[in-house]
Amino acid sequence: LLTSGGPLYDAEGRFKGAMIAMLDITERRQIEQMKGRFIATVSHELRTPLTSISGAIALLLGGAGGDMPEAGRRMLGIAQDNTQRLQALINDLLDIERLESGLLPLKLGVQPLLPLLQRAIESNQPYAERFNVSLVLQPLSAELHLICDAERLLQVMDNLLSNAAKFSHAGDSIVVDCRVIDDQVQVQVTDQGVGIAIEQQSRLFQRFFQVDDSTSRKRGGTGLGLAISKELVERMGGSIGVDSQAGQGACFWFRLPLAGSPDRSMP
Ligand code: ADP
């Protein structure tokens, strides 16, 4: 039950009584749960055939079907790209449902930050090269440790770095740097790309939100990445945000708890 209420006064300000409103939201909850289960089941069922489609495409591209004309390889390449996009969308949908229903377990531990950021940069390099954009990691102390789930932190970094590359101009650089603020470490991904108007910024972290411009539409995506990143960072005890202006690039940052020394800082 959702309840709200308050005192009632007459025109002279004299207390006349109280009003209480109660709203039964059982049905709304049940519908939400059904929707969640539906998304989880459908996504799961779609994953299995997609895995075998992408396996078959990879085998054909690897030469399993004998020599193939150039046009055939090109078409298989298109099929492979789109299969990967579908797989990414399904994984995002599954993640958001699991996060919302509290079914995504996190493996929190003390992690050194430098190798994590190096891995993130390395694995996003090929994607950045597609847009002719370079990724730069500013020097940081190898001593910095934070408390997080390493794989989930990499997922957040993948999202921020791929967005930064997608919305950059050819020839731009994307800079990753860190600073310690009180008992947290702030990681920043700064690009020189199209930027985001102030009035759009509060909605960026909502599900399925995409800035309604031609770049977002042209460059694809689902509008789920930032919503997932926000849930993940918050569940790891941190916060996430953006500083930007239209046309002036964007700086996406997140903060996570710093680990002073491994034995003292485990939650
Ligand atoms: P997706 O990238 O799949 O569309 P996200 O949730 O990651 O979904 O991002 C939502 C939207 O936020 C993007 O579609 C884009 O409009 C905007 N956005 C995200 N990152 C940037 C960035 N670095 N520069 C400009 N716009 C961005």
Side-chain angles (χ1 to χ4, degrees):
L1 277 187
L2 268 187
T3 46
S4 60
L8 289 175
Y9 300 99
D10 66 13
E12 277 82 47
R14 280 187 302 260
F15 178 73
K16 297 297 284 179
M19 187 192 68
I20 297 177
M22 290 186 199
L23 184 63
D24 182 352
I25 56 165
T26 316
E27 197 178 336
R28 208 194 293 172
R29 277 249 166 86
Q30 282 170 345
I31 292 172
E32 278 291 309
Q33 282 170 353
M34 273 169 59
K35 192 198 79 201
R37 276 200 299 274
F38 175 75
I39 293 180
T41 312
V42 171
S43 319
H44 199 76
E45 292 302 316
L46 285 172
R47 228 163 39 166
T48 317
L50 260 182
T51 308
S52 78
I53 293 172
S54 81
I57 296 174
L59 282 175
L60 283 173
L61 280 171
D67 276 350
M68 190 177 307
E70 189 45 42
R73 295 187 69 80
R74 219 177 32 245
M75 283 174 205
L76 275 179
I78 295 172
Q80 192 178 41
D81 272 0
N82 283 286
T83 312
Q84 281 163 359
R85 280 177 62 181
L86 266 180
Q87 283 173 319
L89 169 63
I90 289 166
N91 288 339
D92 279 357
L93 280 172
L94 271 175
D95 273 356
I96 202 114
E97 267 325 308
R98 286 194 194 128
L99 275 166
E100 287 223 324
S101 51
L103 292 176
L104 195 105
L106 291 181
K107 294 189 207 109
L108 290 183
V110 175
Q111 300 289 343
L113 183 56
L114 179 61
L116 279 178
L117 294 184
Q118 284 168 332
R119 254 176 81 188
I121 298 244
E122 208 174 298
S123 65
N124 280 280
Q125 205 79 51
Y127 187 72
E129 276 164 20
R130 276 205 225 170
F131 297 98
N132 193 15
V133 166
S134 51
L135 304 180
V136 180
L137 177 59
Q138 294 289 29
L140 70 130
S141 159
E143 301 297 312
L144 273 182
H145 284 62
L146 73 172
I147 300 168
C148 68
D149 177 323
E151 290 310 312
R152 296 299 171 182
L153 180 124
L154 285 172
Q155 185 175 353
V156 173
M157 282 303 293
D158 280 352
N159 183 246
L160 298 186
L161 286 171
S162 61
N163 276 345
K166 232 168 29 173
F167 296 104
S168 284
H169 308 291
D172 282 355
S173 297
I174 294 164
V175 177
V176 177
D177 66 337
C178 307
R179 65 182 62 163
V180 173
I181 301 175
D182 300 328
D183 54 354
Q184 294 191 311
V185 58
Q186 173 162 313
V187 178
Q188 306 186 156
V189 177
T190 309
D191 66 58
Q192 306 163 285
V194 299
I196 306 138
I198 309 266
E199 57 275 15
Q200 309 265 23
Q201 288 174 18
S202 61
R203 298 169 61 203
L204 279 186
F205 296 91
Q206 291 171 5
R207 296 191 207 186
F208 298 112
F209 178 77
Q210 293 187 303
V211 174
D212 189 21
D213 65 9
S214 62
T215 319
S216 296
R217 275 198 299 274
K218 242 182 3 225
R219 306 251 151 134
T222 58
L224 283 172
L226 287 176
I228 294 174
S229 300
K230 180 173 158 69
E231 290 269 357
L232 286 174
V233 169
E234 288 178 355
R235 288 219 23 222
M236 291 191 275
S239 52
I240 190 167
V242 62
D243 300 314
S244 180
Q245 280 179 37
Q248 306 279 313
C251 170
F252 279 85
W253 55 263
F254 62 85
R255 290 182 193 169
L256 284 172
L258 196 57
S261 69
D263 44 307
R264 180 164 61 81
S265 312
M266 279 298 289

